Amino acid sequence: MNLPVTEWQAIAAASDLTPGQFLEFHLTQTTGEPASVPLTGFAFLDGDTPRAYLNACPHLGIELNWLPGRFMDVDNLFIQCSTHGALFKPGSGECIAGPCQGDALTPLEIRLQNGEVQVRAQD
Ligand code: FES
């Protein structure tokens, strides 16, 4: 999904981004008509690297998780679609198994600044 680049948006305190934690948030962008609702995303630490993606599977656009903050498979290796079991690489968002294999999650830019976790859509 291509999003217009927007201003940086604070989603949490930087101290909330801890290993194993997934932060869910709403973006200022919406899904667009006809049902215009805020897009959602999630952020986490991939090793030491902060990452953020839209919470939308590339093939149906639905959110990946059923439970708050639960995005990983049972082996804690891949992000998983809880509806279909599709697996995504945490570092690239690439789908390696499931109905969207070869497609990828939409990455967001993420930075830690002023004690905040900030995200925005990428170019
Ligand atoms: S919605 Fe695409 S794999 Fe589940």
Side-chain angles (χ1 to χ4, degrees), residues 1 4 6 16-17 29-30 43 59-60 62-63 69 75 79 83 86 92 96 113 123:
M1 179 184 295
T6 55
D16 292 338
L17 194 62
Q29 287 107 325
T30 65
H59 95 282
L60 289 183
I62 63 174
E63 294 189 347
D75 296 326
I79 296 164
T83 307
S92 65
I96 58 155
Q113 188 143 319
D123 282 323

Side-chain angles (χ1 to χ4, degrees), residues 15-120:
S15 58
D16 292 338
L17 194 62
T18 56
Q21 285 287 111
F22 281 71
L23 305 175
E24 295 183 68
F25 53 87
H26 289 86
L27 289 169
T28 53
Q29 287 107 325
T30 65
T31 55
E33 298 302 331
S36 190
V37 295
L39 290 166
T40 58
F42 59 97
F44 60 100
L45 284 177
D46 176 26
D48 293 333
T49 305
R51 300 204 189 276
Y53 294 102
L54 278 188
N55 190 2
C57 178
H59 95 282
L60 289 183
I62 63 174
E63 294 189 347
L64 296 167
N65 61 315
W66 276 334
L67 296 172
R70 294 287 302 275
F71 285 86
M72 297 301 279
D73 66 350
V74 291
D75 296 326
N76 213 32
L77 293 174
F78 298 101
I79 296 164
Q80 185 168 42
C81 171
S82 57
T83 307
H84 308 101
L87 299 174
F88 303 86
K89 290 181 175 177
S92 65
E94 178 191 353
C95 179
I96 58 155
C100 45
Q101 189 167 353
D103 212 335
L105 300 174
T106 302
L108 301 169
E109 284 190 275
I110 182 169
R111 70 181 183 185
L112 304 180
Q113 188 143 319
N114 302 328
E116 300 172 330
V117 182
Q118 300 178 350
V119 299
R120 70 176 182 182

